[in-house]
Amino acid sequence: MGERAVYNKGVISFNEAAEMADKVREGEELRISGLHGASGAFLLASFFKSKKRPVLVLLPDTRAASAFVGDLRFFLGPEDVFLFPDTELLPFELKAPHPSILSARLELYHRLAAGTPFVTVSTARSLMQKLAPAPVFEARVIRLALNEEYLRDSLLSDLLERGFTRVPMVEERGEISVRGAIVDIFPATGARPLRVEFFGDTVESIRSFDTSTQRSVAALDEALILPAAEAVYGEAERAAARNKVMERGAELGLPPEVWRSIFTALKEPSPGEAVYGLYPLFNKTLDTLFEHMPEDSLLFIPDKQRVLG
């Protein structure tokens, strides 16, 4: 990397700082000192309100990130501030993140792809985690609309490949249930499950409903269903992952009983928690959150010494 241009100036106002920040380009750095308490969040809020430019905020840990989100939402409101939470898992830990964490991460991917400017707050550890490229994630979003064709069996297969789990009755996010022409779906990012009813190959109705009473809450014209997992579970991806598990087991000289359960899980359309930590096996290319951010994003680091060491 070449030398970065660094701009230093004397005492300036928040508005002047916001104007200077807007002029920062790739390879340039603006250093601002003398910010205490919530003044950093206030400065960033002033910048965002006036420029409506996407921002990525980098904090040293989850506690600091959560506190900064609270300060920033006080000045901007909840709609313009999103936390990209850490999975709280160790590398290759064969366990899925908590549903609320996974939901927040999946929703953020979709929001970033939509292109509407907002502030993303994350940690250094989260930025090191590998993610599916944005086009891959968006290609897996399912759109259902009234009176449009979508084969029921195809919908079921698509949902399973996107990480949903089939159960007798949906109760938690990421679950689906099928009864004849009715498919119940609890989206990973939804507050309520959806009941989709088919007439032949056509979507006849879409309704949100209450899990405790099973009664409809609202009728919908369409629904966007985000994947329930960050990995692609298509047959081609699962077959490639099975081969990689066998190859790696052979390289390490591991007996089959060590990796057989994972290999077996990879035969299922929705492998579940057993393979979540093996996410890199499912994608030929992986990105970080940086690649998901829009090109004109500004990187804001309130505590550079703690973040970068």
Side-chain angles (χ1 to χ4, degrees), residues 151-291:
L151 295 178
R152 194 214 66 161
D153 290 345
S154 295
L155 175 60
L156 177 59
S157 175
D158 291 344
L159 290 168
L160 292 174
E161 289 186 351
R162 285 157 175 77
F164 285 83
T165 302
R166 186 169 179 174
V167 296
M169 180 181 295
V170 300
E171 296 180 305
E172 304 289 343
R173 290 173 175 171
E175 296 180 340
I176 58 174
S177 174
V178 182
R179 300 183 311 283
I182 297 175
V183 180
D184 288 348
I185 308 167
F186 204 144
T189 57
R192 295 185 184 276
L194 303 175
R195 180 158 290 157
V196 183
E197 190 165 357
F198 288 84
F199 182 76
D201 299 333
T202 303
V203 176
E204 188 175 46
S205 71
I206 307 173
R207 294 166 289 162
S208 62
F209 68 94
D210 187 284
T211 54
S212 58
T213 64
Q214 294 293 302
R215 292 182 178 178
S216 298
V217 174
L220 306 173
D221 292 330
E222 66 174 7
L224 290 179
I225 303 173
L226 274 60
E230 296 184 38
V232 177
Y233 294 128
E235 173 52 35
E237 290 78 17
R238 286 183 283 118
R242 289 196 299 271
N243 290 334
K244 290 180 181 179
V245 168
M246 292 180 63
E247 291 171 3
R248 188 57 176 160
E251 289 175 5
L252 298 175
L254 299 176
E257 55 266 22
V258 173
W259 48 264
R260 185 176 290 124
S261 61
I262 297 174
F263 185 88
T264 302
L266 288 169
K267 293 182 178 180
E268 299 298 324
S270 182
E273 290 191 353
V275 299
Y276 193 92
L278 303 178
Y279 174 62
L281 296 178
F282 292 97
N283 295 275
K284 294 181 180 179
T285 59
L286 293 170
D287 288 339
T288 65
L289 185 58
F290 281 121
E291 283 76 32

